[in-house]
Amino acid sequence: MSALPSTDPALSASATSARFDRGHTDDLMSFLAASPSPYHAVANAAARLEKAGFRQVAETDAWDGTTGGKYVTRGGAIVAWYVPEDAAPHTPFRIVGAHTDSPNLRVKPLPDMGSQGWRQVAVEIYGGPLLNSWLDRDLGLAGRLTLRDGSSRLVNVDRALLRVPQLAIHMDRSVHTDGLKLDKQKHMQPIWGLGDDVHEGDLIRFLEEEYGLDEGSVTGWDLMTHPVEAPSYLGRDKELVAGPRMDNLLSVHAGTAALAAVSATGGLPYIPVLAAFDHEENGSQSDTGADGPLLGGVLERSVFARGGSYEDKARAFAGTVCLSSDTGHAVHPNYAERHDPTHHPRAGGGPILKVNVNNRYATDGSGRAVFAAACEKAGVPFQSFVSNNSMPCGTTIGPITAARHGIRTVDIGVAILSMHSVRELCAADDPYLLANALVAFLEG
């Protein structure tokens, strides 16, 4: 891999051999297409880790202190870690944090509705999607079904099943002068057929038939819509990638690949960890979110399983660093004034370091040094992002992780356009540059 020109003067010219190249981006597109819900993303990440020798452990079982790769899944979250040979109970962790959820339209508990001869599915708005990007898209349906016996089943109807139709221009001439105005309740309910009779249970019966399940066997569901258009390269030289759910499956994919890569090396001074949470888009306050107990419980149990004490746990946490990896904002060619005038992250310029002095991001000067060292080791350029002072700043799992666990945390990511759109855009080289930086960080 030839490193792209650095846009940050902190980057050294030195470089190490590449671990990932454009093939990583090809694989990312496959991962995006195969992961229409957080539950699918977790299953796919787990399958990749299994191929790298990791094994699943149950939270309800007693854990042992053996070395090697292990992982825990809970709903739409996964925490995986690799214990090197001779790791002491107080060995610190190196964590890559990310989230598996993306803004979308999610099916309500009573989904069957209709009006004026159209059959519709009742949906609730999850997170903060750009609503207009969901209009006139062919949408599939995916998620998790819970059966009467307590088991669950992943489902993915990956074909044109639903559509949120936009009002014709002839009936809303003001859209050109006043802008498009969408009511989340009235205007975002997708259609999926014709008919005046709406029968309760139609949607779930359809899924039972689709997956060969007995009628009435489904008693719970977590379902969401997704665009069926596949991710693709874009541009004259195919130097861009367009696809759904880059926020934040791009980081989940990179973190999974990096953890699998470092598990094949020896002499690691830290315990590398991947923590991919659900519910970041609506505040992270759940048992599978970053503000829940999952990560802390896994790290503590890992220490105690290796014979450690509370003192060992405190020492391990004190030496731990987390990279909170989430997508950020590339400078927009049509709205450059919305950015800080001295910070214009460019697509293709490598990962971004996110800074906000009001702790919307967790990065400080010492964290910047950690990330700069990882990028230098990997030969990867990086850039800095800070919000325009006149505009509010978003946030991530970074400040939550730092505050909840007392862990030094650094916010980073890949710069994209169209964040929270049904289809986002990034430079084709940035995903593998991020993955290479994550490998160098996890290796220490």
Side-chain angles (χ1 to χ4, degrees):
M1 177 188 74
S2 58
L4 298 178
S6 173
T7 59
D8 194 303
L11 181 67
S12 165
S14 65
T16 57
S17 60
R19 289 181 179 272
F20 300 112
D21 55 20
R22 185 62 75 85
H24 174 87
T25 306
D26 296 337
D27 190 61
L28 167 64
M29 292 195 289
S30 297
F31 186 82
L32 293 174
S35 304
S37 78
Y39 315 110
H40 289 83
V42 166
N44 289 324
R48 289 160 183 257
L49 291 171
E50 290 271 359
K51 289 182 179 179
F54 285 67
R55 63 182 178 88
Q56 185 173 11
V57 294
E59 293 185 82
T60 53
D61 291 345
W63 291 5
D64 58 47
T66 55
T67 59
K70 305 171 187 180
Y71 69 91
V72 166
T73 63
R74 184 193 291 181
I78 182 170
V79 179
W81 66 104
Y82 182 83
V83 181
E85 294 285 347
D86 302 322
H90 61 269
T91 298
F93 302 93
R94 281 281 174 111
I95 304 168
V96 172
H99 66 89
T100 61
D101 60 320
S102 301
N104 56 20
L105 313 178
R106 301 205 173 188
V107 175
K108 289 184 175 180
L110 299 176
D112 301 290
M113 63 177 291
S115 178
Q116 309 302 318
W118 297 98
R119 297 177 68 189
Q120 295 174 278
V121 173
V123 297
E124 192 172 4
I125 309 301
Y126 178 83
L130 287 170
L131 295 179
N132 65 293
S133 71
W134 287 85
L135 302 178
D136 299 330
R137 294 272 186 177
D138 294 338
L139 303 176
L141 193 65
R144 177 179 67 176
L145 301 177
T146 302
L147 308 184
R148 191 174 298 278
D149 62 5
S151 63
S152 62
R153 178 79 175 268
L154 294 184
V155 294
N156 180 15
V157 183
D158 195 28
R159 65 177 188 272
L161 183 68
L162 308 104
R163 186 180 179 92
V164 183
Q166 187 168 193
L167 184 64
I169 184 65
H170 313 82
M171 297 182 180
D172 187 13
R173 299 286 185 181
S174 66
V175 70
H176 287 316
T177 56
D178 299 337
L180 180 64
K181 298 177 181 179
L182 296 172
D183 184 287
K184 292 180 180 180
Q185 179 61 39
K186 293 193 298 183
H187 300 149
M188 297 305 297
Q189 309 305 320
I191 61 173
W192 75 309
L194 299 172
D196 291 311
D197 296 330
V198 176
H199 302 286
E200 183 178 345
D202 274 356
L203 179 67
I204 301 305
R205 278 193 292 272
F206 161 75
L207 290 172
E208 288 172 338
E209 293 173 1
E210 189 83 359
Y211 281 87
L213 301 171
D214 294 336
E215 183 175 343
S217 60
V218 175
T219 56
W221 52 89
D222 302 280
L223 298 169
M224 58 206 72
T225 61
H226 67 274
V228 298
E229 184 181 3
S232 64
Y233 285 106
L234 181 74
R236 184 192 66 180
D237 300 318
K238 297 184 178 180
E239 56 192 338
L240 301 170
V241 170
R245 300 177 295 279
M246 290 187 182
D247 178 15
N248 183 33
L249 295 188
L250 189 158
S251 294
V252 175
H253 175 259
T256 302
L259 179 60
V262 300
S263 71
T265 64
L268 296 174
Y270 302 101
I271 296 174
V273 179
L274 169 69
F277 302 101
D278 202 351
H279 302 133
E280 188 273 348
E281 298 293 354
N282 59 13
S284 296
Q285 292 185 320
S286 70
D287 69 323
T288 54
D291 204 20
L294 180 59
L295 175 60
V298 168
L299 299 184
E300 288 180 353
R301 292 184 68 177
S302 175
V303 170
F304 297 152
R306 285 177 281 120
S309 62
Y310 178 84
E311 182 71 11
D312 290 314
K313 175 221 161 182
R315 292 174 65 190
F317 277 41
T320 292
V321 184
C322 173
L323 289 189
S324 166
S325 182
D326 203 345
T327 53
H329 303 291
V331 62
H332 197 300
N334 301 333
Y335 301 91
E337 74 280 359
R338 302 295 181 96
H339 283 257
D340 181 85
T342 60
H343 294 77
H344 280 184
R346 293 173 177 263
I352 57 175
L353 180 75
K354 304 183 193 178
V355 178
N356 180 266
V357 295
N358 293 303
N359 284 339
R360 300 294 286 173
Y361 302 132
T363 307
D364 63 10
S366 65
R368 185 185 194 279
V370 171
F371 185 59
C375 288
E376 181 176 2
K377 178 182 177 182
V380 168
F382 74 92
Q383 312 173 81
S384 294
F385 172 84
V386 64
S387 290
N388 186 307
N389 286 335
S390 299
M391 303 184 69
C393 180
T395 191
T396 68
I397 65 167
I400 294 171
T401 303
R404 181 170 182 83
H405 306 295
I407 290 173
R408 181 167 46 156
T409 304
V410 188
D411 272 296
I412 65 161
V414 162
I416 69 171
L417 292 182
S418 306
M419 187 183 294
H420 286 199
S421 171
V422 75
R423 197 167 175 85
E424 296 161 326
L425 182 72
C426 76
D429 293 339
D430 280 340
Y432 74 76
L433 292 177
L434 172 66
N436 286 331
L438 295 183
V439 168
F441 166 73
L442 291 177
E443 287 180 335

